[in-house]
C-alpha cells in the first residue's frame, strides 16, 4: 500500500517512509491511497485482539516485517486485561469500549505502544538516529515516553506546561528514568509550550546541531499515520465483540461515539467504516471547545470566533483538529483539501458547500458537552456502579441526547484515575483537591481500585527535574543531545 499527501504529492511513499518522515509536501499529511476491505468472514474470525490486529495490519500491506509487527503487538500483553479492549454493556443499547488498559491509563497507549516499537525497529534497521519532539497537555507525553523508554536509535524530548497537567500526568513524566529521554517543564501554559516547539523547528542553531550529530527529526503525534493504523483495529474489535455476545447480527449497523480532540480516534472509525465495518454514524463528542460540532453541523470550520477554553476534559481542548484534513482529502481530493486548508491557515476559517456538508453528514454527527453536564452523567453512572472519566462523559451526553435507533459503542478514552480531581468535583464536592486525596476518597466511597502503576507514582523518585522558561528550552535540548 502506498501513501499520498493530502495536499498533493509528486511521489508516493511507503508506510515506513510515511511514518519516519511524517510531514507531507505543502504542509499536508500522508494518507493511504486506497483502503483494504474486510468482510463478514474476516470480522467474525478472530477472538483475540492480537490476532485481529495482525490480520488488519496485513490487510494494509505495509512494508514492516512480520517479526517487527509481532514484537510490537506483543506489547498488548502488558495491558491489564486479556481482551486488551474490554467492551462493557451499560444499557440495553449502549456498550462502552475501554481503551485505557495500557501502562499510562489513557487511550494513547493503544497506538503509541506498538508504534514506538515499529519506529525504533525501523531506525535501527536503517542505522539512523531520530529525535522525537513532543509538547503535551497531559496524555501524549507519558505515552510517548513510556513507549520509547530505552529504545535504541531514538531520543525523546518532551515538554509539558509546569502547572498545566494533573499530578498523575506530571508524575508519569517526571519519574521516567531513561537515558534517551528528557522531560522539560515549561513555565507557561500549553500554548507557550507548543509555540516553543514550533519555533525550535525553525531555529538555525537547532537544525545545525541535529545535522552535526546526524540526528533526524520525527513526530509521534497523531498526524503520523503510524498511529492511525493501530486505531482502526479496536473499532473492528468492538463490533466483533457485540457479535460474539449475540447483541447484534452480522450486518446490523451500529453507531460509534468518539470523544474527540485531534480526530485521530474518529478517523480510525471512519477508515474502519470505509473498509466495510457495518457502522452507521460516527458520533463526534466534543467539550465546549466545539469547533468540530460546528464543522459537522454546518460545514464551517471557524477559528476566528473562538479562543481555547480550559475544561475538565483537557485532552479534548483543541481547536485545530489535525486529522479532519484526512477526511476532507478522502471525500473531496487533494486540490480541494489544499484550498480549504490554505483558507484555514490564511483566514482562520473555511466553509464547505451544501453538497460537501451533506457528504460529511453521511458519516458523522456531532454534539458538545459542558463540564457541568459531564459531571451530571458521571454522577448518574457512578450511582449505577460505573465510574467513568470526564472525556468519556462527553460520549454519554451524545448517547443521551441523540436518541439513535442503533446499538452504540461509546469509547472510554481514559481511566478515571487520570482525572481524579475532576471526578472529586463531580462526585464528592465542588472543591479543588490534589490527585492523591481525590483518588483515595473516590476509591473508598465507590469501592473502585486504583491500579498499582498509579499508586506507585506518588512514591517514585523524581528523576526529571528540569523546569525552565520558554527561552531556555533550546539550550536544554541541545545539552541533552
Ligand atoms: C487524546 C485523547 C482524546 C482525543 O483523541 P483524538 O484522537 O485526538 O481525537 C480523548 N480523550 C483522551 C483521554 C485523550 O487522551
Amino acid at each position: 500500500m502506498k501513501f499520498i499527501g493530502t495536499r498533493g504529492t509528486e511521489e508516493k511513499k511507503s508506510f515506513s517512509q510515511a511514518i519516519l518522515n511524517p510531514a507531507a509536501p505543502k504542509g499536508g499529511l500522508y494518507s493511504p491511497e486506497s483502503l483494504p476491505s474486510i468482510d463478514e468472514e474476516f470480522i467474525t474470525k478472530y477472538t483475540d485482539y492480537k490476532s485481529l490486529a495482525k490480520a488488519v495490519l496485513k490487510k494494509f500491506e505495509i512494508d514492516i516485517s512480520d517479526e517487527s509487527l509481532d514484537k510490537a503487538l506483543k506489547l498488548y500483553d502488558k495491558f491489564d486485561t486479556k481482551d486488551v479492549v474490554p467492551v462493557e454493556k451499560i444499557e440495553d443499547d449502549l456498550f462502552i469500549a475501554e481503551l485505557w488498559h495500557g501502562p499510562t491509563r489513557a487511550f494513547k497507549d493503544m497506538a503509541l505502544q506498538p508504534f514506538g516499537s515499529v519506529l525504533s525497529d525501523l531506525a535501527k534497521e536503517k542505522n539512523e538516529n531520530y529525535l522525537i519532539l513532543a509538547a503535551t497537555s497531559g496524555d501524549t507525553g507519558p505515552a510517548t515516553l513510556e513507549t520509547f523508554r530505552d529504545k535504541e536509535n531514538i531520543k525523546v524530548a518532551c515538554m509539558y506546561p509546569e502547572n498545566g497537567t494533573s499530578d498523575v500526568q506530571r508524575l508519569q513524566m517526571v519519574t521516567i528514568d531513561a537515558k534517551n529521554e528528557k522531560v522539560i517543564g515549561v513555565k507557561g501554559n500549553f500554548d507557550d509550550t507548543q509555540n516553543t516547539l514550533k519555533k525550535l523547528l525553525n531555529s538555525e542553531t537547532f537544525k545545525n546541531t541535529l545535522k552535526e550529530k546526524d540526528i533526524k527529526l520525527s513526530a509521534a503525534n497523531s498526524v503520523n499515520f503510524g498511529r492511525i493504523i493501530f486505531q482502526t483495529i479496536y473499532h473492528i474489535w468492538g463490533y466483533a465483540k457485540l457479535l460474539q455476545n449475540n447483541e447484534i447480527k452480522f450486518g446490523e449497523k451500529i453507531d460509534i461515539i468518539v470523544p474527540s480532540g485531534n480526530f485521530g480516534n474518529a478517523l480510525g472509525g471512519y477508515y474502519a467504516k470505509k473498509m466495510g465495518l457495518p457502522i452507521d454514524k460516527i458520533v463526534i463528542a466534543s467539550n465546549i471547545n466545539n469547533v468540530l460540532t460546528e464543522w459537522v453541523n454546518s460545514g464551517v470550520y471557524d477559528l476566528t470566533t473562538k479562543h481555547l477554553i480550559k475544561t475538565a476534559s483537557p485532552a479534548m481542548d483543541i481547536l485545530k483538529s489535525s486529522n479532519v484534513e484526512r477526511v476532507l482529502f478522502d471525500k473531496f481530493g487533494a486540490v480541494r483539501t489544499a484550498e480549504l486548508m490554505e483558507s484555514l491557515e490564511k483566514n482562520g476559517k473555511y466553509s464547505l458547500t451544501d453538497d460537501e456538508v451533506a457528504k460529511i453528514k453521511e458519516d458523522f454527527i456531532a454534539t458538545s458537552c459542558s463540564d457541568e453536564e459531564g459531571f451530571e452523567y458521571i454522577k448518574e453512572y457512578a450511582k449505577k456502579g460505573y465510574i467513568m472519566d470526564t472525556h468519556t462523559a462527553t460520549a454519554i451526553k451524545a448517547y443521551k441526547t441523540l436518541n439513535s435507533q442503533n446499538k452504540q459503542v461509546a469509547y472510554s478514552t481514559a481511566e478515571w484515575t487520570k482525572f481524579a480531581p475532576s471526578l472529586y468535583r463531580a462526585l464528592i464536592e465542588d472543591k479543588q483537591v490534589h490527585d492523591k486525596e481525590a483518588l483515595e476518597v473516590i476509591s473508598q466511597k465507590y469501592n473502585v481500585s486504583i491500579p498499582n502503576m498509579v499508586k506507585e507514582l506518588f512514591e517514585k523518585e523524581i528523576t526529571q527535574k528540569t523546569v525552565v522558561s520558554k527561552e531556555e528550552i533550546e539550550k536544554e535540548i541541545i545539552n541533552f543531545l
Side-chain angles (χ1 to χ4, degrees):
M1 170 160 308
K2 291 289 183 190
F3 289 79
I4 46 185
T6 48
R7 302 186 197 179
T9 356
E10 297 85 56
E11 206 188 330
K12 297 173 184 175
K13 300 281 177 182
S14 70
F15 178 76
S16 64
Q17 288 170 323
I19 70 170
L20 283 169
N21 201 348
K26 302 177 201 163
L29 311 175
Y30 283 113
S31 282
E33 187 176 34
S34 61
L35 289 165
S37 58
I38 52 175
D39 58 10
E40 179 170 1
E41 193 197 335
F42 183 95
I43 294 166
T44 52
K45 187 167 174 187
Y46 304 96
T47 51
D48 84 287
Y49 193 87
K50 273 194 293 179
S51 310
L52 173 69
K54 178 84 182 280
V56 173
L57 295 169
K58 295 302 277 181
K59 281 257 170 198
F60 273 90
E61 296 176 5
I62 52 179
D63 58 336
I64 304 293
S65 71
D66 273 9
E67 191 194 352
S68 179
L69 287 183
D70 289 338
K71 189 170 133 199
L73 294 175
K74 204 164 161 22
L75 294 168
Y76 286 130
D77 292 345
K78 283 200 288 189
F79 283 48
D80 68 0
T81 156
K82 202 183 132 280
D83 262 359
V84 182
V85 177
V87 181
E88 306 262 347
K89 186 169 183 168
I90 301 293
E91 304 277 1
D92 281 342
D93 58 353
L94 177 67
F95 303 82
I96 294 195
E98 296 174 343
L99 301 176
W100 42 256
H101 286 270
T104 71
R105 314 314 281 170
F107 112 95
K108 302 294 187 283
D109 288 331
M110 290 304 307
L112 274 167
Q113 279 289 310
F115 170 75
S117 173
V118 168
L119 195 75
S120 151
D121 277 357
L122 278 177
K124 236 184 315 183
E125 205 177 286
K126 292 181 175 299
N127 204 13
E128 292 173 343
N129 289 301
Y130 283 85
L131 171 68
I132 307 281
L133 280 177
T136 183
S137 64
D139 282 342
T140 301
T144 304
L145 292 162
E146 181 64 38
T147 194
F148 290 115
R149 186 214 299 239
D150 295 323
K151 288 268 165 35
E152 292 170 67
N153 299 59
I154 306 271
K155 283 188 161 68
V156 179
C158 175
M159 289 155 265
Y160 69 95
E162 186 191 9
N163 298 313
T165 70
S166 75
D167 294 343
V168 167
Q169 289 173 325
R170 182 175 42 79
L171 289 171
Q172 282 179 331
M173 294 186 270
V174 299
T175 58
I176 284 273
D177 193 9
K179 281 195 300 294
N180 65 328
E181 297 186 325
K182 174 80 182 169
V183 180
I184 303 172
V186 180
K187 294 176 187 158
N189 60 27
F190 178 57
D191 278 344
D192 295 326
T193 312
Q194 206 164 25
N195 289 338
T196 314
L197 190 143
K198 283 184 195 143
K199 258 198 226 140
L200 204 60
L201 297 177
N202 290 316
S203 147
E204 288 304 320
T205 7
F206 189 66
K207 282 194 244 178
N208 286 336
T209 308
L210 291 182
K211 220 188 225 154
E212 268 166 32
K213 299 194 179 287
D214 204 12
I215 297 174
K216 296 179 159 60
L217 263 181
S218 188
N221 54 22
S222 69
V223 305
N224 195 315
F225 196 84
R227 277 178 60 178
I228 302 297
I229 198 169
F230 290 106
Q231 291 177 191
T232 59
I233 298 160
Y234 50 75
H235 298 289
I236 304 169
W237 173 255
Y239 191 88
K241 274 277 155 187
L242 295 200
L243 281 175
Q244 282 160 27
N245 297 338
N246 293 317
E247 298 288 354
I248 51 171
K249 296 222 161 26
F250 188 85
E252 183 176 339
K253 288 193 174 173
I254 64 163
D255 297 334
I256 54 173
I257 311 179
V258 188
S260 295
N262 227 359
F263 215 79
N265 194 351
L267 180 73
Y270 174 72
Y271 286 150
K273 177 178 178 182
K274 290 211 49 164
M275 286 158 72
L277 193 69
I279 291 176
D280 187 3
K281 289 291 191 287
I282 298 148
V283 183
I284 305 302
S286 300
N287 61 28
I288 45 169
N289 293 296
N290 63 353
V291 64
L292 289 171
T293 317
E294 240 176 57
W295 174 69
V296 171
N297 290 333
S298 69
V300 177
Y301 203 109
D302 187 356
L303 299 171
T304 61
T305 55
K306 303 217 157 45
H307 63 277
L308 195 73
I309 303 163
K310 280 189 91 156
T311 72
S313 45
M316 293 155 60
D317 289 349
I318 289 175
L319 292 177
K320 246 183 135 177
S321 192
S322 316
N323 280 299
V324 167
E325 181 168 348
R326 286 188 164 116
V327 176
L328 297 176
F329 171 69
D330 189 73
K331 288 191 176 287
F332 313 126
V335 174
R336 180 65 174 148
T337 302
E339 186 178 277
L340 292 168
M341 296 312 293
E342 200 170 292
S343 168
L344 188 65
E345 276 151 25
K346 271 209 191 112
N347 315 319
K349 68 186 271 189
Y350 67 72
S351 302
L352 300 177
T353 64
D354 290 347
D355 281 355
E356 287 169 340
V357 180
K359 290 212 171 94
I360 297 293
K361 287 184 173 171
E362 284 171 11
D363 296 305
F364 297 101
I365 44 180
T367 58
S368 69
C369 177
S370 69
D371 284 354
E372 293 71 30
E373 289 172 309
F375 287 177
E376 287 305 315
Y377 294 122
I378 290 171
K379 236 188 277 184
E380 178 184 336
Y381 281 88
K383 277 193 198 126
K384 297 181 191 170
Y386 188 81
I387 305 287
M388 71 179 73
D389 96 299
T390 47
H391 302 77
T392 310
T394 67
I396 300 301
K397 155 99 189 250
Y399 164 76
K400 290 277 190 182
T401 53
L402 291 172
N403 294 315
S404 172
Q405 299 305 303
N406 301 322
K407 298 255 165 78
Q408 294 148 72
V409 172
Y411 291 102
S412 179
T413 48
E415 186 177 46
W416 71 274
T417 57
K418 262 197 125 160
F419 301 97
S422 290
L423 264 84
Y424 187 97
R425 284 177 55 205
L427 295 174
I428 312 290
E429 62 171 316
D430 192 6
K431 191 177 119 186
Q432 210 59 51
V433 298
H434 279 290
D435 290 47
K436 195 160 191 246
E437 183 184 346
L439 283 164
E440 278 160 12
V441 172
I442 293 165
S443 119
Q444 274 194 357
K445 175 157 180 198
Y446 289 91
N447 197 22
V448 274
S449 57
I450 304 167
N452 281 334
M453 61 268 259
V454 173
K455 271 192 229 160
E456 285 163 2
L457 285 172
F458 297 94
E459 315 303 326
K460 267 190 171 168
E461 188 195 345
I462 310 272
T463 47
Q464 305 268 359
K465 293 186 180 141
T466 310
V467 178
V468 296
S469 67
K470 287 186 290 189
E471 293 72 31
E472 292 167 288
I473 293 178
E474 180 167 346
K475 196 180 73 200
E476 285 293 336
I477 297 181
I478 288 176
N479 280 344
F480 162 65
L481 293 177

